[in-house]
Amino acid sequence: MRLNIITLSLFVSLNLYATQTQTNVLFEDTFTQGEVTNEYGDKIAYQKVKLQTTNFKVDNFWSKFHLNGKAQDNYENITTTALVKLTTELSFTCKDGGLDTEGCSGQKPFFINVNTLTNPDMKLDRLGAPLPEGEFRIPFDKAANYTSDRDDAFYSLDVFRDGEYYKAPQTPLAEDSPKNFFGYIKSFLGDFFSKDTATTYSESMTTHEQEVRGRYVANITFGLQKNYRAKRNSTIHTNEINTADEQKRISQIDYAQTAITSTTGCDGLFLNYDPDSIVCTGVSFFGLANWMPFFNNGEETEYKTTAVLEDTEVTLLTLAGKNDGVNYIDQKATVDTSNDTKSFASEIFKPVSFMASSVLRFLFGENSKTLTEVVSAEFDFTNPLPLTFFEVNNDNIAEFRHFALLGLESIYGTEVESCKVKQTKTFFFFPVGWDEKLFTKGIDTNTKFDMEAGFFGSFFNDSSEYSELTLTEETHTIPWVDWGTHDMVNLSTDDWLDWCKRNQGRQSKGLFGRVLDTFTSFILADTRSLSYDEQIDKLLRDDDWSVVEYKEKVHKALILHLKSLDLDSIEVGTKGTTTEFTIMKTMRGNR
Amino acid sequence: MRKGSVAIVPLFLAISLLFWFIWFMGAENDNLHTVNQIANLQHLQDRLALAAVQKRYELEEANPTWDKTKVEDEVTIYIHNIMKINQIDE
């Protein structure tokens, strides 16, 4: 009995004394020291973490045979402090896709020249007003336009990649496992786009170009492969195109693609077309149309496209959508359930009233300014997608620039080519013949209309009906009839082409529908009044002119809306980044 | 007394030595055991340091609304649970 009491009290006192063993984790704030970026431009930071185990107990067995032995040792405080290096790169798809991290990095295959970020033109918004500090809108430009002093565009690069990181494997994939590089990129792009387009590609690309294209898309999606990343101060070959190789040669990139839409119209994604019209005004989304003659009267429409631009846009849009968990295409598209195609809702297109010169250069080369209407679709992203660009100074990578992709803007411009018109001649309401004219953009013509001609002309002439138009006066002196002085209206080629645009049948509102009601052609510096157009309409209607064939081209450009990220704002866990953790050293403390 | 009975002495000594040895080694063994246990714990802490940092940022990313203290508390709970599995924490 006594023994029991002793034992019991012993237990109680032991329990009172012995506090529980507990491990606490203590974090110190991250800090930087020495180099803040590594040679690849990734951010380096450090963090100390301390693991502290209090009241750690060790039970002793042999103490039972020892006079001074304690049955249990209690260590109040055992700690390990680790210094952890955090290397943060702007890439996230590897982590999400469960892919081999060797295939991913933060660097993207884009570069700008050194003065681009100080160019004030790059700091203007779509209306030409200044952007907030640190924001830029940088247009895409093609390799052919590159010179080392361009400071108003970004360019794309061809960087090598091992086959396993972008090509289909020899053995076909299991349907349900995208967890390999190729499967992932396939499902990644496929989820967003491919099933919705009715466009097929002709084999217009060489095998080499197809490889270049494959690795370009993979390079944007995943970042450059770790092995082929570029180091600071290394060289890129800006005067070469598509020459990347295993020796880490980096060149510019360019490839074009012929896409064929076999159709009843223009199937595809960026479509807003009227199948009945003689003009198919669509721009298919996936891989289409920087230069697109879109007059279509056959079964098939062929588009020759600068696919680099399209691939850049599609991939970035997909990436941003993945980052945000939103399908930006779906959001802005309408689905035609009858043939399962998507077209962009015309409401998303806005008229463009200001444009950087490099966009024009991209579209037409240096001096041409023949766009008649320009609209753009803007995408804004919720979580800005981080991207790392190269900043190049005379073929040397001077620095890595980190940006957040706030949004992108897809620009569509139509350029009039020509218009064929005809006049039905009548004699007292009976058609007696016809006259045909062809007006081609760039070829100046002058068509004169005698406003006081004919029997009724001199009586019913109302000069207010053509008061806005270009007038000249002509005096005809034919001996036996006194013509007197007649008002002559002069119509130029541009007048005719504008009129054609307005009167081309069911597409009278132009390429993107209602948008154009408010559109003013800024490139032509079109300040003509509404009544000017109305008067031409009336004049030509009264004179029985109609449109036979109207041809336009659609051009497409891309502008990225970027925000400069300074290193401080890139933190571990910033959306769209991946961080590697490395223990640099550990320190121990006892008791 | 029989003549040969003195032979018990070495045997007795040997047994005493054995007991002494057990007594001695027992204590030393406890020391070794302790050192071992602490070293083990510190190795475990080593390993978990990285896990703790990773967990911290994972939690931060997954729960943007949590404040710093909340995140760190959750990390502590996470590590504590691992320590329990390893029969260190109670």
Side-chain angles (χ1 to χ4, degrees):
Chain A
M1 191 61 204
R2 177 175 291 179
L3 194 70
N4 278 349
I5 291 167
I6 290 173
T7 320
L8 198 67
S9 57
L10 194 69
F11 261 110
V12 169
S13 65
L14 263 181
N15 274 338
L16 278 178
Y17 268 92
T19 32
Q20 294 216 315
T21 311
Q22 164 72 34
T23 304
N24 287 308
V25 186
L26 305 160
F27 292 97
E28 278 178 32
D29 288 339
T30 51
F31 61 97
T32 51
Q33 59 178 31
E35 298 270 297
V36 286
T37 56
N38 64 13
E39 56 189 353
Y40 301 111
D42 301 332
K43 183 188 176 174
I44 300 172
Y46 298 90
Q47 178 160 44
K48 275 185 180 166
V49 56
K50 186 173 175 184
L51 269 73
Q52 181 180 46
T53 305
T54 50
N55 296 308
F56 177 57
K57 291 160 198 153
V58 183
D59 291 323
N60 294 325
F61 169 76
W62 291 98
S63 61
K64 290 172 183 141
F65 303 94
H66 195 276
L67 287 176
N68 305 322
K70 280 186 291 181
Q72 193 178 58
D73 285 324
N74 188 334
Y75 296 91
E76 224 167 77
N77 215 346
I78 292 177
T79 61
T80 300
T81 307
L83 177 66
V84 180
K85 181 180 175 185
L86 317 166
T87 313
T88 306
E89 54 180 27
L90 307 188
S91 123
F92 71 98
T93 34
C94 265
K95 190 169 61 180
D96 287 8
L99 303 171
D100 181 2
T101 52
E102 271 310 294
C104 301
S105 77
Q107 296 181 358
K108 304 283 182 195
F110 303 127
F111 78 99
I112 50 175
N113 276 330
V114 271
N115 294 322
T116 310
L117 297 187
T118 49
N119 180 357
D121 281 355
M122 299 292 98
K123 299 175 186 170
L124 301 175
D125 69 9
R126 59 195 301 279
L127 300 172
L131 284 166
E133 185 61 33
E135 288 187 22
F136 304 90
R137 287 175 80 256
I138 306 181
F140 172 83
D141 198 4
K142 55 194 164 200
N145 286 337
Y146 179 80
T147 60
S148 60
D149 56 353
R150 291 269 189 244
D151 59 0
D152 54 2
F154 77 92
Y155 296 85
S156 294
L157 291 170
D158 185 23
V159 186
F160 195 77
R161 215 174 167 80
D162 288 332
E164 60 185 300
Y165 292 121
Y166 70 95
K167 276 184 202 163
Q170 295 297 318
T171 47
L173 299 170
E175 279 299 313
D176 55 347
S177 75
K179 298 262 164 153
N180 97 356
F181 218 82
F182 181 75
Y184 188 69
I185 199 167
K186 246 174 86 175
S187 65
F188 178 66
L189 292 173
D191 282 351
F192 279 78
F193 298 107
S194 56
K195 61 178 183 292
D196 300 310
T197 54
T199 305
T200 50
Y201 297 104
S202 70
E203 296 298 317
S204 61
M205 295 173 90
T206 61
T207 324
H208 178 63
E209 279 179 331
Q210 280 165 19
E211 277 195 14
V212 167
R213 179 183 201 185
R215 67 185 178 222
Y216 179 59
V217 172
N219 277 339
I220 301 176
T221 314
F222 304 107
L224 309 184
Q225 188 187 337
K226 283 247 158 53
N227 255 341
Y228 298 106
R229 279 181 296 178
K231 288 182 182 168
R232 198 176 277 120
N233 295 326
S234 61
T235 308
I236 61 170
H237 300 266
T238 51
N239 52 350
E240 296 175 12
I241 285 174
N242 304 346
T243 55
D245 63 16
E246 299 101 287
Q247 272 68 54
K248 304 194 179 180
R249 175 179 282 261
I250 297 178
S251 74
Q252 288 211 68
I253 195 167
D254 199 14
Y255 49 87
Q257 170 85 299
T258 306
I260 295 175
T261 305
S262 50
T263 86
T264 46
C266 299
D267 289 329
L269 206 50
F270 257 151
L271 282 188
N272 177 28
Y273 76 98
D274 180 349
D276 293 337
S277 69
I278 50 167
V279 188
C280 184
T281 58
V283 183
S284 184
F285 185 67
F286 192 62
L288 291 198
N290 154 48
W291 186 93
M292 192 177 99
F294 70 108
F295 177 68
N296 170 34
N297 53 5
E299 284 297 301
E300 291 181 336
T301 312
E302 259 194 22
Y303 311 118
K304 177 84 168 168
T305 84
T306 296
V308 180
L309 171 113
E310 294 293 341
D311 290 343
T312 311
E313 178 178 319
V314 169
T315 315
L316 286 177
L317 208 52
T318 312
L319 264 179
K322 180 132 184 72
N323 195 33
D324 285 352
V326 170
N327 189 331
Y328 284 108
I329 303 299
D330 274 351
Q331 238 182 25
K332 300 200 168 179
T334 50
V335 178
D336 180 355
T337 43
S338 65
N339 58 3
D340 222 19
T341 54
K342 283 179 189 171
S343 33
F344 263 115
S346 60
E347 296 89 75
I348 74 162
F349 292 101
K350 295 172 194 150
V352 173
S353 53
F354 167 79
M355 206 154 67
S357 58
S358 51
V359 176
L360 282 175
R361 180 182 71 230
F362 170 72
L363 293 174
F364 306 115
E366 211 58 73
N367 296 315
S368 172
K369 291 187 174 184
T370 53
L371 280 186
T372 56
E373 58 181 26
V374 183
V375 292
S376 73
E378 252 194 354
F379 296 87
D380 292 317
F381 308 135
T382 325
N383 294 296
L385 180 72
L387 301 169
T388 303
F389 281 43
F390 300 161
E391 192 177 65
V392 170
N393 187 10
N394 287 322
D395 290 2
N396 260 306
I397 298 176
E399 192 46 82
F400 298 97
R401 291 285 173 191
H402 305 294
F403 294 107
L405 183 64
L406 301 180
L408 62 81
E409 189 175 345
S410 222
I411 296 183
Y412 298 81
T414 53
E415 182 190 18
V416 176
E417 263 200 331
S418 65
C419 181
K420 200 186 276 179
V421 296
K422 75 169 184 193
Q423 181 189 33
T424 315
K425 295 191 168 170
T426 55
F427 183 76
F428 286 104
F429 310 108
F430 294 105
V432 290
W434 50 280
D435 188 12
E436 214 174 57
K437 284 179 195 287
L438 177 70
F439 297 97
T440 308
K441 183 81 192 172
I443 301 175
D444 287 334
T445 56
N446 190 19
T447 319
K448 285 183 178 173
F449 291 87
D450 188 340
M451 299 313 292
E452 292 165 63
F455 180 71
F456 296 110
S458 43
F459 295 108
F460 297 103
N461 176 38
D462 176 4
S463 65
S464 69
E465 285 182 358
Y466 52 90
S467 55
E468 301 277 326
L469 307 179
T470 316
L471 288 177
T472 49
E473 288 186 344
E474 273 183 30
T475 312
H476 293 250
T477 43
I478 306 169
W480 55 91
V481 183
D482 179 20
W483 278 62
T485 305
H486 284 195
D487 283 344
M488 305 293 283
V489 167
N490 296 266
L491 292 190
S492 66
T493 304
D494 284 345
D495 289 331
W496 277 104
L497 292 174
D498 282 353
W499 172 79
C500 284
K501 186 167 194 63
R502 290 194 302 275
N503 294 281
Q504 51 175 308
R506 295 183 59 180
Q507 284 204 304
S508 56
K509 278 187 174 175
L511 181 54
F512 294 106
R514 68 197 76 170
V515 171
L516 298 168
D517 289 348
T518 53
F519 177 80
T520 329
S521 172
F522 67 96
I523 292 166
L524 296 171
D526 189 350
T527 51
R528 294 175 309 197
S529 61
L530 189 63
S531 54
Y532 185 93
D533 289 346
E534 277 173 357
Q535 289 187 357
I536 290 183
D537 285 352
K538 181 173 187 326
L539 170 69
L540 294 177
R541 189 172 59 238
D542 289 352
D543 222 24
D544 291 323
W545 288 95
S546 58
V547 181
V548 178
E549 180 190 274
Y550 179 66
K551 284 189 188 176
E552 276 186 333
K553 281 185 209 165
V554 173
H555 296 263
K556 188 171 174 195
L558 169 70
I559 295 181
L560 299 187
H561 184 187
L562 300 163
K563 184 180 175 28
S564 179
L565 280 182
D566 58 350
L567 284 169
D568 291 341
S569 61
I570 302 171
E571 282 174 28
V572 188
T574 302
K575 199 121 166 106
T577 64
T578 304
T579 303
E580 248 176 52
F581 303 93
T582 327
I583 289 196
M584 300 309 284
K585 61 177 179 187
T586 52
M587 292 145 283
R588 288 174 172 170
N590 282 359
R591 275 160 275 269
Chain B
M1 229 182 213
R2 283 175 60 186
K3 229 180 179 177
S5 64
V6 78
I8 198 75
V9 171
L11 189 64
F12 181 73
L13 277 177
I15 290 167
S16 307
L17 194 69
L18 186 67
F19 273 102
W20 173 83
F21 189 71
I22 289 169
W23 176 81
F24 170 76
M25 270 316 286
E28 286 312 298
N29 218 5
D30 279 350
N31 280 343
L32 286 175
H33 178 65
T34 304
V35 169
N36 212 3
Q37 287 290 304
I38 290 174
N40 264 345
L41 173 62
Q42 280 179 328
H43 276 296
L44 194 61
Q45 284 178 341
D46 258 16
R47 294 296 186 87
L48 289 178
L50 210 54
V53 176
Q54 272 168 343
K55 186 74 184 173
R56 180 206 153 122
Y57 290 112
E58 260 172 44
L59 286 172
E60 217 169 62
E61 218 177 317
N63 308 285
T65 51
W66 291 5
D67 67 346
K68 209 175 138 196
T69 337
K70 167 81 176 158
V71 172
E72 293 183 5
D73 286 352
E74 288 295 317
V75 175
T76 296
I77 291 167
Y78 170 75
I79 295 296
H80 176 62
N81 285 334
I82 295 176
M83 286 296 194
K84 266 183 176 166
I85 294 166
N86 284 280
Q87 297 186 334
I88 287 164
D89 279 12
E90 293 168 331

